[in-house]
Each structure stands twice: as C-alpha cells, then as structure tokens.
Amino acid sequence: MQNRMMITGAGSGLGREIALRWAREGWQLALSDVSEPGLQETLKLVREAGGDGFIQRCDVRDYSQLTAFAQACEVKLGGIDIIVNNAGVASGGFFSELSLEDWDWQIAINLMGVVKGCKAFLPLLEQSKGKIINIASMAALMQGPAMSNYNVAKAGVVALSESLLIELAQQEVGVHVVCPSFFQTNLLDSFRGPTPAMKAQVGKLLESSPITASDIADYIYKQVAAGEFMILPHEQGRMAWALKQKNPQLLYNEMTAMAEKMRAKAKQNNG
C-alpha cells in the first residue's frame, strides 16, 4: 500500500468527507466529479487536512473518461491502492409515475457508473493488491416505497460488490460495500422525480438525520481497516437489516403501510 486513493463524486458530500478522512492520514488523492468548482474546494480542504493529490473532471457515465482518469493516476501517482465509487444521484416517485428515461438515468449513473469505475481501475488494483469501496445505500437492502429505480440501481451495486468479493479474492483485491441510510448531504441537488412533494419528503428525512457525512466517512475508515465487507454506518440501518433477515414479511408490511401513507399525503397535497 502506497496510500493512493481515487474517489468519484468527490466534489461534495460523502465523497469530499471520505477524501478528508484519508487526507488526515497523509494519503495522495485522485479526485473526480462533474463539478469543477466542487473539486477545487475539496482539493484545497484536502491539502489543509494534510493530504495532497490532483483533480480531474469525470462523468462516470463515460467509460473513456474513467479510463483516462485511471491513466492519470498511473502517471501522477504511479498507480492506485483504493478506489471509491461514490458518484451518485437521487430520484423518487412511484413506479407508475417514473418514466423509462428516469430508469435509464438512474441505472447509468448509480449502477453502471460503479461497474465502469471497477472495470477501468481493476488493472491498477491487481498490481497494488488494493481495495474497492463501492457506495450503495440502505435502499439496496430495504427497498422503500416510491424509489424503485434508485432501489434497483443500489441493489445492483451490492450484488456487483458481492460478485467481486468472491472473484477477486485470489487476486488479493479487497472489496467493501457501504450502505448508508439518510444523512445530511446535498444529494437533493441532483434529485429527479415526478413530484415536488417527493423531493420535500426526502429533504425532511435528510435533515432529521443525527449522523453527518463526516461521521459516515470516519465509520467507513474504521470498518475498512477492520476488513468488514458490508458496512452499515447507521445503527437504525443495522437493526432494520437484522430484522429483515429474520422476518422479511414484517418489514414488507411496514413498507406497505408507509406506501399507503405516502399516497394519502400526495392526494392531500394535490387535493
């Protein structure tokens, strides 16, 4: 390990906090995002925190941009030890309201962006015997109502991570998947959904979270060091996952009741 890390979606939110957590340990960081100003700000904070690195604008939908980013890591850092596939977008809406374009957009960024990140950087990770950290969501495990395209994309990230865990063990490449619940983040900046009410509801959940992106980054740092594959930063999330494994029907009933409440609320707002 030469302490070199790549992060997508590093211009804000959890991506930035992960960069800062590892920067405090003196790591070299390759930071990418679609927002250039966000990246500049992250790099400035990284340097203040004791790390260093470089930035490169990158849209994870475009595989050629990711392979160019991997080449830049090889040239500037001599390789890479950890990749963090963090870039993601939020969306919501009942299945009947979501367009196929909504599905394509969600899958292209939140699932295929992670697939392409793993693919572009795997040769470098095989050389360094490095690690993959994929950022999924509790939505991957819980499948809450009115976010089916997001649930499916994030569940795909978990399935991909499980597949890579098994396939890359022989190459000594480690794999971790992180499933945070709602936390204070700017995820809503990218939110796409058929109804403004849905965005407001998600906003309330994000604001009411007791845990910040910085707390989550710290938790990820510790769990990766401990070799934990599935990282669930929220205590409530860990409890909900344990419950679902024991009694899935109980959770489905709860989610069904939640869906009914959401529908009733939406009717009220439209009434």
Side-chain angles (χ1 to χ4, degrees), residues 151-176:
N151 294 340
V152 168
K154 291 297 191 177
V157 172
V158 171
L160 169 70
S161 305
E162 289 176 331
S163 305
L164 295 177
L165 175 75
I166 295 153
E167 286 188 26
L168 300 178
Q170 223 180 340
Q171 280 78 26
E172 294 177 64
V173 173
V175 180
H176 308 269

mmCIF file with all atom_site columns, all heavy atoms in Angstrom, residues 151-176:
data_model
loop_
_atom_site.group_PDB
_atom_site.id
_atom_site.type_symbol
_atom_site.label_atom_id
_atom_site.label_alt_id
_atom_site.label_comp_id
_atom_site.label_asym_id
_atom_site.label_entity_id
_atom_site.label_seq_id
_atom_site.pdbx_PDB_ins_code
_atom_site.Cartn_x
_atom_site.Cartn_y
_atom_site.Cartn_z
_atom_site.occupancy
_atom_site.B_iso_or_equiv
_atom_site.pdbx_formal_charge
_atom_site.auth_seq_id
_atom_site.auth_comp_id
_atom_site.auth_asym_id
_atom_site.auth_atom_id
_atom_site.pdbx_PDB_model_num
ATOM 1   N N   . ASN A 1 151 ? -33.722 2.055   -5.748  1.00 0.00 ? 151 ASN A N   1
ATOM 2   C CA  . ASN A 1 151 ? -33.550 0.772   -5.039  1.00 0.00 ? 151 ASN A CA  1
ATOM 3   C C   . ASN A 1 151 ? -32.841 -0.261  -5.914  1.00 0.00 ? 151 ASN A C   1
ATOM 4   O O   . ASN A 1 151 ? -31.924 -0.949  -5.466  1.00 0.00 ? 151 ASN A O   1
ATOM 5   C CB  . ASN A 1 151 ? -34.910 0.187   -4.628  1.00 0.00 ? 151 ASN A CB  1
ATOM 6   C CG  . ASN A 1 151 ? -35.634 1.033   -3.592  1.00 0.00 ? 151 ASN A CG  1
ATOM 7   O OD1 . ASN A 1 151 ? -35.018 1.834   -2.910  1.00 0.00 ? 151 ASN A OD1 1
ATOM 8   N ND2 . ASN A 1 151 ? -36.935 0.843   -3.481  1.00 0.00 ? 151 ASN A ND2 1
ATOM 9   N N   . VAL A 1 152 ? -33.296 -0.360  -7.161  1.00 0.00 ? 152 VAL A N   1
ATOM 10  C CA  . VAL A 1 152 ? -32.756 -1.368  -8.077  1.00 0.00 ? 152 VAL A CA  1
ATOM 11  C C   . VAL A 1 152 ? -31.295 -1.067  -8.416  1.00 0.00 ? 152 VAL A C   1
ATOM 12  O O   . VAL A 1 152 ? -30.446 -1.964  -8.404  1.00 0.00 ? 152 VAL A O   1
ATOM 13  C CB  . VAL A 1 152 ? -33.625 -1.454  -9.356  1.00 0.00 ? 152 VAL A CB  1
ATOM 14  C CG1 . VAL A 1 152 ? -32.930 -2.265  -10.452 1.00 0.00 ? 152 VAL A CG1 1
ATOM 15  C CG2 . VAL A 1 152 ? -34.991 -2.066  -9.030  1.00 0.00 ? 152 VAL A CG2 1
ATOM 16  N N   . ALA A 1 153 ? -31.000 0.205   -8.682  1.00 0.00 ? 153 ALA A N   1
ATOM 17  C CA  . ALA A 1 153 ? -29.617 0.575   -9.014  1.00 0.00 ? 153 ALA A CA  1
ATOM 18  C C   . ALA A 1 153 ? -28.679 0.264   -7.841  1.00 0.00 ? 153 ALA A C   1
ATOM 19  O O   . ALA A 1 153 ? -27.609 -0.315  -8.019  1.00 0.00 ? 153 ALA A O   1
ATOM 20  C CB  . ALA A 1 153 ? -29.542 2.055   -9.377  1.00 0.00 ? 153 ALA A CB  1
ATOM 21  N N   . LYS A 1 154 ? -29.102 0.637   -6.628  1.00 0.00 ? 154 LYS A N   1
ATOM 22  C CA  . LYS A 1 154 ? -28.246 0.427   -5.453  1.00 0.00 ? 154 LYS A CA  1
ATOM 23  C C   . LYS A 1 154 ? -28.149 -1.059  -5.076  1.00 0.00 ? 154 LYS A C   1
ATOM 24  O O   . LYS A 1 154 ? -27.101 -1.515  -4.620  1.00 0.00 ? 154 LYS A O   1
ATOM 25  C CB  . LYS A 1 154 ? -28.767 1.248   -4.264  1.00 0.00 ? 154 LYS A CB  1
ATOM 26  C CG  . LYS A 1 154 ? -28.594 2.760   -4.465  1.00 0.00 ? 154 LYS A CG  1
ATOM 27  C CD  . LYS A 1 154 ? -27.130 3.165   -4.571  1.00 0.00 ? 154 LYS A CD  1
ATOM 28  C CE  . LYS A 1 154 ? -26.915 4.665   -4.500  1.00 0.00 ? 154 LYS A CE  1
ATOM 29  N NZ  . LYS A 1 154 ? -25.496 5.038   -4.540  1.00 0.00 ? 154 LYS A NZ  1
ATOM 30  N N   . ALA A 1 155 ? -29.237 -1.817  -5.275  1.00 0.00 ? 155 ALA A N   1
ATOM 31  C CA  . ALA A 1 155 ? -29.184 -3.270  -5.033  1.00 0.00 ? 155 ALA A CA  1
ATOM 32  C C   . ALA A 1 155 ? -28.192 -3.908  -6.010  1.00 0.00 ? 155 ALA A C   1
ATOM 33  O O   . ALA A 1 155 ? -27.470 -4.846  -5.664  1.00 0.00 ? 155 ALA A O   1
ATOM 34  C CB  . ALA A 1 155 ? -30.564 -3.893  -5.190  1.00 0.00 ? 155 ALA A CB  1
ATOM 35  N N   . GLY A 1 156 ? -28.138 -3.365  -7.224  1.00 0.00 ? 156 GLY A N   1
ATOM 36  C CA  . GLY A 1 156 ? -27.165 -3.838  -8.217  1.00 0.00 ? 156 GLY A CA  1
ATOM 37  C C   . GLY A 1 156 ? -25.731 -3.615  -7.748  1.00 0.00 ? 156 GLY A C   1
ATOM 38  O O   . GLY A 1 156 ? -24.857 -4.445  -7.969  1.00 0.00 ? 156 GLY A O   1
ATOM 39  N N   . VAL A 1 157 ? -25.505 -2.495  -7.068  1.00 0.00 ? 157 VAL A N   1
ATOM 40  C CA  . VAL A 1 157 ? -24.157 -2.189  -6.549  1.00 0.00 ? 157 VAL A CA  1
ATOM 41  C C   . VAL A 1 157 ? -23.763 -3.218  -5.476  1.00 0.00 ? 157 VAL A C   1
ATOM 42  O O   . VAL A 1 157 ? -22.615 -3.673  -5.430  1.00 0.00 ? 157 VAL A O   1
ATOM 43  C CB  . VAL A 1 157 ? -24.084 -0.747  -5.983  1.00 0.00 ? 157 VAL A CB  1
ATOM 44  C CG1 . VAL A 1 157 ? -22.754 -0.500  -5.276  1.00 0.00 ? 157 VAL A CG1 1
ATOM 45  C CG2 . VAL A 1 157 ? -24.290 0.268   -7.097  1.00 0.00 ? 157 VAL A CG2 1
ATOM 46  N N   . VAL A 1 158 ? -24.736 -3.610  -4.643  1.00 0.00 ? 158 VAL A N   1
ATOM 47  C CA  . VAL A 1 158 ? -24.457 -4.634  -3.624  1.00 0.00 ? 158 VAL A CA  1
ATOM 48  C C   . VAL A 1 158 ? -24.145 -5.972  -4.298  1.00 0.00 ? 158 VAL A C   1
ATOM 49  O O   . VAL A 1 158 ? -23.167 -6.645  -3.957  1.00 0.00 ? 158 VAL A O   1
ATOM 50  C CB  . VAL A 1 158 ? -25.624 -4.771  -2.617  1.00 0.00 ? 158 VAL A CB  1
ATOM 51  C CG1 . VAL A 1 158 ? -25.428 -5.974  -1.710  1.00 0.00 ? 158 VAL A CG1 1
ATOM 52  C CG2 . VAL A 1 158 ? -25.753 -3.499  -1.774  1.00 0.00 ? 158 VAL A CG2 1
ATOM 53  N N   . ALA A 1 159 ? -24.963 -6.347  -5.281  1.00 0.00 ? 159 ALA A N   1
ATOM 54  C CA  . ALA A 1 159 ? -24.752 -7.626  -5.984  1.00 0.00 ? 159 ALA A CA  1
ATOM 55  C C   . ALA A 1 159 ? -23.408 -7.632  -6.716  1.00 0.00 ? 159 ALA A C   1
ATOM 56  O O   . ALA A 1 159 ? -22.689 -8.638  -6.717  1.00 0.00 ? 159 ALA A O   1
ATOM 57  C CB  . ALA A 1 159 ? -25.896 -7.888  -6.964  1.00 0.00 ? 159 ALA A CB  1
ATOM 58  N N   . LEU A 1 160 ? -23.064 -6.512  -7.338  1.00 0.00 ? 160 LEU A N   1
ATOM 59  C CA  . LEU A 1 160 ? -21.761 -6.394  -8.012  1.00 0.00 ? 160 LEU A CA  1
ATOM 60  C C   . LEU A 1 160 ? -20.630 -6.573  -6.994  1.00 0.00 ? 160 LEU A C   1
ATOM 61  O O   . LEU A 1 160 ? -19.667 -7.311  -7.237  1.00 0.00 ? 160 LEU A O   1
ATOM 62  C CB  . LEU A 1 160 ? -21.643 -5.024  -8.686  1.00 0.00 ? 160 LEU A CB  1
ATOM 63  C CG  . LEU A 1 160 ? -20.247 -4.651  -9.216  1.00 0.00 ? 160 LEU A CG  1
ATOM 64  C CD1 . LEU A 1 160 ? -19.878 -5.506  -10.421 1.00 0.00 ? 160 LEU A CD1 1
ATOM 65  C CD2 . LEU A 1 160 ? -20.159 -3.172  -9.568  1.00 0.00 ? 160 LEU A CD2 1
ATOM 66  N N   . SER A 1 161 ? -20.761 -5.901  -5.850  1.00 0.00 ? 161 SER A N   1
ATOM 67  C CA  . SER A 1 161 ? -19.711 -5.966  -4.822  1.00 0.00 ? 161 SER A CA  1
ATOM 68  C C   . SER A 1 161 ? -19.554 -7.384  -4.291  1.00 0.00 ? 161 SER A C   1
ATOM 69  O O   . SER A 1 161 ? -18.428 -7.854  -4.071  1.00 0.00 ? 161 SER A O   1
ATOM 70  C CB  . SER A 1 161 ? -20.042 -4.995  -3.676  1.00 0.00 ? 161 SER A CB  1
ATOM 71  O OG  . SER A 1 161 ? -20.233 -3.687  -4.177  1.00 0.00 ? 161 SER A OG  1
ATOM 72  N N   . GLU A 1 162 ? -20.680 -8.081  -4.086  1.00 0.00 ? 162 GLU A N   1
ATOM 73  C CA  . GLU A 1 162 ? -20.615 -9.479  -3.620  1.00 0.00 ? 162 GLU A CA  1
ATOM 74  C C   . GLU A 1 162 ? -19.918 -10.352 -4.668  1.00 0.00 ? 162 GLU A C   1
ATOM 75  O O   . GLU A 1 162 ? -19.099 -11.212 -4.327  1.00 0.00 ? 162 GLU A O   1
ATOM 76  C CB  . GLU A 1 162 ? -22.027 -10.009 -3.342  1.00 0.00 ? 162 GLU A CB  1
ATOM 77  C CG  . GLU A 1 162 ? -22.646 -9.388  -2.100  1.00 0.00 ? 162 GLU A CG  1
ATOM 78  C CD  . GLU A 1 162 ? -24.085 -9.815  -1.843  1.00 0.00 ? 162 GLU A CD  1
ATOM 79  O OE1 . GLU A 1 162 ? -24.818 -10.133 -2.801  1.00 0.00 ? 162 GLU A OE1 1
ATOM 80  O OE2 . GLU A 1 162 ? -24.487 -9.812  -0.676  1.00 0.00 ? 162 GLU A OE2 1
ATOM 81  N N   . SER A 1 163 ? -20.228 -10.095 -5.943  1.00 0.00 ? 163 SER A N   1
ATOM 82  C CA  . SER A 1 163 ? -19.608 -10.875 -7.026  1.00 0.00 ? 163 SER A CA  1
ATOM 83  C C   . SER A 1 163 ? -18.095 -10.640 -7.056  1.00 0.00 ? 163 SER A C   1
ATOM 84  O O   . SER A 1 163 ? -17.304 -11.577 -7.190  1.00 0.00 ? 163 SER A O   1
ATOM 85  C CB  . SER A 1 163 ? -20.204 -10.474 -8.380  1.00 0.00 ? 163 SER A CB  1
ATOM 86  O OG  . SER A 1 163 ? -21.606 -10.599 -8.361  1.00 0.00 ? 163 SER A OG  1
ATOM 87  N N   . LEU A 1 164 ? -17.695 -9.366  -6.921  1.00 0.00 ? 164 LEU A N   1
ATOM 88  C CA  . LEU A 1 164 ? -16.267 -9.030  -6.972  1.00 0.00 ? 164 LEU A CA  1
ATOM 89  C C   . LEU A 1 164 ? -15.523 -9.546  -5.744  1.00 0.00 ? 164 LEU A C   1
ATOM 90  O O   . LEU A 1 164 ? -14.367 -9.971  -5.844  1.00 0.00 ? 164 LEU A O   1
ATOM 91  C CB  . LEU A 1 164 ? -16.080 -7.514  -7.110  1.00 0.00 ? 164 LEU A CB  1
ATOM 92  C CG  . LEU A 1 164 ? -16.589 -6.887  -8.407  1.00 0.00 ? 164 LEU A CG  1
ATOM 93  C CD1 . LEU A 1 164 ? -16.416 -5.372  -8.370  1.00 0.00 ? 164 LEU A CD1 1
ATOM 94  C CD2 . LEU A 1 164 ? -15.887 -7.461  -9.634  1.00 0.00 ? 164 LEU A CD2 1
ATOM 95  N N   . LEU A 1 165 ? -16.182 -9.515  -4.590  1.00 0.00 ? 165 LEU A N   1
ATOM 96  C CA  . LEU A 1 165 ? -15.581 -10.039 -3.355  1.00 0.00 ? 165 LEU A CA  1
ATOM 97  C C   . LEU A 1 165 ? -15.083 -11.464 -3.585  1.00 0.00 ? 165 LEU A C   1
ATOM 98  O O   . LEU A 1 165 ? -13.965 -11.836 -3.210  1.00 0.00 ? 165 LEU A O   1
ATOM 99  C CB  . LEU A 1 165 ? -16.623 -10.010 -2.226  1.00 0.00 ? 165 LEU A CB  1
ATOM 100 C CG  . LEU A 1 165 ? -16.212 -10.627 -0.888  1.00 0.00 ? 165 LEU A CG  1
ATOM 101 C CD1 . LEU A 1 165 ? -15.250 -9.713  -0.145  1.00 0.00 ? 165 LEU A CD1 1
ATOM 102 C CD2 . LEU A 1 165 ? -17.428 -10.909 -0.015  1.00 0.00 ? 165 LEU A CD2 1
ATOM 103 N N   . ILE A 1 166 ? -15.923 -12.246 -4.243  1.00 0.00 ? 166 ILE A N   1
ATOM 104 C CA  . ILE A 1 166 ? -15.637 -13.665 -4.481  1.00 0.00 ? 166 ILE A CA  1
ATOM 105 C C   . ILE A 1 166 ? -14.605 -13.830 -5.602  1.00 0.00 ? 166 ILE A C   1
ATOM 106 O O   . ILE A 1 166 ? -13.632 -14.557 -5.488  1.00 0.00 ? 166 ILE A O   1
ATOM 107 C CB  . ILE A 1 166 ? -16.949 -14.400 -4.840  1.00 0.00 ? 166 ILE A CB  1
ATOM 108 C CG1 . ILE A 1 166 ? -17.910 -14.370 -3.639  1.00 0.00 ? 166 ILE A CG1 1
ATOM 109 C CG2 . ILE A 1 166 ? -16.698 -15.823 -5.287  1.00 0.00 ? 166 ILE A CG2 1
ATOM 110 C CD1 . ILE A 1 166 ? -19.365 -14.442 -4.008  1.00 0.00 ? 166 ILE A CD1 1
ATOM 111 N N   . GLU A 1 167 ? -14.828 -13.086 -6.703  1.00 0.00 ? 167 GLU A N   1
ATOM 112 C CA  . GLU A 1 167 ? -13.970 -13.261 -7.875  1.00 0.00 ? 167 GLU A CA  1
ATOM 113 C C   . GLU A 1 167 ? -12.551 -12.723 -7.689  1.00 0.00 ? 167 GLU A C   1
ATOM 114 O O   . GLU A 1 167 ? -11.609 -13.227 -8.293  1.00 0.00 ? 167 GLU A O   1
ATOM 115 C CB  . GLU A 1 167 ? -14.598 -12.567 -9.094  1.00 0.00 ? 167 GLU A CB  1
ATOM 116 C CG  . GLU A 1 167 ? -15.787 -13.312 -9.655  1.00 0.00 ? 167 GLU A CG  1
ATOM 117 C CD  . GLU A 1 167 ? -16.267 -12.693 -10.970 1.00 0.00 ? 167 GLU A CD  1
ATOM 118 O OE1 . GLU A 1 167 ? -15.454 -12.068 -11.672 1.00 0.00 ? 167 GLU A OE1 1
ATOM 119 O OE2 . GLU A 1 167 ? -17.460 -12.845 -11.275 1.00 0.00 ? 167 GLU A OE2 1
ATOM 120 N N   . LEU A 1 168 ? -12.406 -11.658 -6.867  1.00 0.00 ? 168 LEU A N   1
ATOM 121 C CA  . LEU A 1 168 ? -11.096 -11.005 -6.771  1.00 0.00 ? 168 LEU A CA  1
ATOM 122 C C   . LEU A 1 168 ? -10.280 -11.456 -5.557  1.00 0.00 ? 168 LEU A C   1
ATOM 123 O O   . LEU A 1 168 ? -9.161  -10.990 -5.350  1.00 0.00 ? 168 LEU A O   1
ATOM 124 C CB  . LEU A 1 168 ? -11.271 -9.480  -6.748  1.00 0.00 ? 168 LEU A CB  1
ATOM 125 C CG  . LEU A 1 168 ? -11.956 -8.868  -7.982  1.00 0.00 ? 168 LEU A CG  1
ATOM 126 C CD1 . LEU A 1 168 ? -12.119 -7.367  -7.817  1.00 0.00 ? 168 LEU A CD1 1
ATOM 127 C CD2 . LEU A 1 168 ? -11.173 -9.183  -9.257  1.00 0.00 ? 168 LEU A CD2 1
ATOM 128 N N   . ALA A 1 169 ? -10.845 -12.383 -4.769  1.00 0.00 ? 169 ALA A N   1
ATOM 129 C CA  . ALA A 1 169 ? -10.141 -12.853 -3.561  1.00 0.00 ? 169 ALA A CA  1
ATOM 130 C C   . ALA A 1 169 ? -8.777  -13.438 -3.931  1.00 0.00 ? 169 ALA A C   1
ATOM 131 O O   . ALA A 1 169 ? -7.769  -13.168 -3.266  1.00 0.00 ? 169 ALA A O   1
ATOM 132 C CB  . ALA A 1 169 ? -10.986 -13.880 -2.828  1.00 0.00 ? 169 ALA A CB  1
ATOM 133 N N   . GLN A 1 170 ? -8.745  -14.203 -5.008  1.00 0.00 ? 170 GLN A N   1
ATOM 134 C CA  . GLN A 1 170 ? -7.490  -14.856 -5.428  1.00 0.00 ? 170 GLN A CA  1
ATOM 135 C C   . GLN A 1 170 ? -6.442  -13.835 -5.876  1.00 0.00 ? 170 GLN A C   1
ATOM 136 O O   . GLN A 1 170 ? -5.247  -14.030 -5.696  1.00 0.00 ? 170 GLN A O   1
ATOM 137 C CB  . GLN A 1 170 ? -7.783  -15.821 -6.575  1.00 0.00 ? 170 GLN A CB  1
ATOM 138 C CG  . GLN A 1 170 ? -7.049  -17.126 -6.403  1.00 0.00 ? 170 GLN A CG  1
ATOM 139 C CD  . GLN A 1 170 ? -7.344  -18.090 -7.531  1.00 0.00 ? 170 GLN A CD  1
ATOM 140 O OE1 . GLN A 1 170 ? -8.341  -17.968 -8.236  1.00 0.00 ? 170 GLN A OE1 1
ATOM 141 N NE2 . GLN A 1 170 ? -6.469  -19.063 -7.708  1.00 0.00 ? 170 GLN A NE2 1
ATOM 142 N N   . GLN A 1 171 ? -6.927  -12.714 -6.447  1.00 0.00 ? 171 GLN A N   1
ATOM 143 C CA  . GLN A 1 171 ? -6.016  -11.638 -6.886  1.00 0.00 ? 171 GLN A CA  1
ATOM 144 C C   . GLN A 1 171 ? -5.596  -10.747 -5.709  1.00 0.00 ? 171 GLN A C   1
ATOM 145 O O   . GLN A 1 171 ? -4.858  -9.792  -5.888  1.00 0.00 ? 171 GLN A O   1
ATOM 146 C CB  . GLN A 1 171 ? -6.684  -10.750 -7.942  1.00 0.00 ? 171 GLN A CB  1
ATOM 147 C CG  . GLN A 1 171 ? -6.692  -11.319 -9.349  1.00 0.00 ? 171 GLN A CG  1
ATOM 148 C CD  . GLN A 1 171 ? -7.758  -12.384 -9.537  1.00 0.00 ? 171 GLN A CD  1
ATOM 149 O OE1 . GLN A 1 171 ? -8.768  -12.399 -8.852  1.00 0.00 ? 171 GLN A OE1 1
ATOM 150 N NE2 . GLN A 1 171 ? -7.505  -13.297 -10.458 1.00 0.00 ? 171 GLN A NE2 1
ATOM 151 N N   . GLU A 1 172 ? -6.124  -11.064 -4.527  1.00 0.00 ? 172 GLU A N   1
ATOM 152 C CA  . GLU A 1 172 ? -5.853  -10.285 -3.308  1.00 0.00 ? 172 GLU A CA  1
ATOM 153 C C   . GLU A 1 172 ? -6.300  -8.828  -3.416  1.00 0.00 ? 172 GLU A C   1
ATOM 154 O O   . GLU A 1 172 ? -5.666  -7.914  -2.879  1.00 0.00 ? 172 GLU A O   1
ATOM 155 C CB  . GLU A 1 172 ? -4.362  -10.358 -2.930  1.00 0.00 ? 172 GLU A CB  1
ATOM 156 C CG  . GLU A 1 172 ? -3.920  -11.772 -2.530  1.00 0.00 ? 172 GLU A CG  1
ATOM 157 C CD  . GLU A 1 172 ? -2.436  -11.837 -2.225  1.00 0.00 ? 172 GLU A CD  1
ATOM 158 O OE1 . GLU A 1 172 ? -2.016  -11.187 -1.258  1.00 0.00 ? 172 GLU A OE1 1
ATOM 159 O OE2 . GLU A 1 172 ? -1.708  -12.528 -2.977  1.00 0.00 ? 172 GLU A OE2 1
ATOM 160 N N   . VAL A 1 173 ? -7.406  -8.616  -4.148  1.00 0.00 ? 173 VAL A N   1
ATOM 161 C CA  . VAL A 1 173 ? -8.030  -7.290  -4.205  1.00 0.00 ? 173 VAL A CA  1
ATOM 162 C C   . VAL A 1 173 ? -9.208  -7.319  -3.239  1.00 0.00 ? 173 VAL A C   1
ATOM 163 O O   . VAL A 1 173 ? -10.103 -8.158  -3.364  1.00 0.00 ? 173 VAL A O   1
ATOM 164 C CB  . VAL A 1 173 ? -8.499  -6.942  -5.644  1.00 0.00 ? 173 VAL A CB  1
ATOM 165 C CG1 . VAL A 1 173 ? -9.303  -5.642  -5.659  1.00 0.00 ? 173 VAL A CG1 1
ATOM 166 C CG2 . VAL A 1 173 ? -7.302  -6.836  -6.586  1.00 0.00 ? 173 VAL A CG2 1
ATOM 167 N N   . GLY A 1 174 ? -9.199  -6.426  -2.252  1.00 0.00 ? 174 GLY A N   1
ATOM 168 C CA  . GLY A 1 174 ? -10.275 -6.399  -1.254  1.00 0.00 ? 174 GLY A CA  1
ATOM 169 C C   . GLY A 1 174 ? -11.491 -5.648  -1.779  1.00 0.00 ? 174 GLY A C   1
ATOM 170 O O   . GLY A 1 174 ? -11.361 -4.754  -2.613  1.00 0.00 ? 174 GLY A O   1
ATOM 171 N N   . VAL A 1 175 ? -12.666 -6.012  -1.283  1.00 0.00 ? 175 VAL A N   1
ATOM 172 C CA  . VAL A 1 175 ? -13.902 -5.344  -1.718  1.00 0.00 ? 175 VAL A CA  1
ATOM 173 C C   . VAL A 1 175 ? -14.758 -5.005  -0.499  1.00 0.00 ? 175 VAL A C   1
ATOM 174 O O   . VAL A 1 175 ? -14.898 -5.821  0.416   1.00 0.00 ? 175 VAL A O   1
ATOM 175 C CB  . VAL A 1 175 ? -14.714 -6.235  -2.696  1.00 0.00 ? 175 VAL A CB  1
ATOM 176 C CG1 . VAL A 1 175 ? -15.998 -5.530  -3.151  1.00 0.00 ? 175 VAL A CG1 1
ATOM 177 C CG2 . VAL A 1 175 ? -13.876 -6.627  -3.915  1.00 0.00 ? 175 VAL A CG2 1
ATOM 178 N N   . HIS A 1 176 ? -15.316 -3.798  -0.498  1.00 0.00 ? 176 HIS A N   1
ATOM 179 C CA  . HIS A 1 176 ? -16.219 -3.346  0.570   1.00 0.00 ? 176 HIS A CA  1
ATOM 180 C C   . HIS A 1 176 ? -17.413 -2.663  -0.079  1.00 0.00 ? 176 HIS A C   1
ATOM 181 O O   . HIS A 1 176 ? -17.268 -2.000  -1.111  1.00 0.00 ? 176 HIS A O   1
ATOM 182 C CB  . HIS A 1 176 ? -15.524 -2.342  1.490   1.00 0.00 ? 176 HIS A CB  1
ATOM 183 C CG  . HIS A 1 176 ? -14.206 -2.824  2.014   1.00 0.00 ? 176 HIS A CG  1
ATOM 184 N ND1 . HIS A 1 176 ? -14.093 -3.515  3.199   1.00 0.00 ? 176 HIS A ND1 1
ATOM 185 C CD2 . HIS A 1 176 ? -12.951 -2.748  1.493   1.00 0.00 ? 176 HIS A CD2 1
ATOM 186 C CE1 . HIS A 1 176 ? -12.817 -3.833  3.396   1.00 0.00 ? 176 HIS A CE1 1
ATOM 187 N NE2 . HIS A 1 176 ? -12.108 -3.383  2.376   1.00 0.00 ? 176 HIS A NE2 1
#
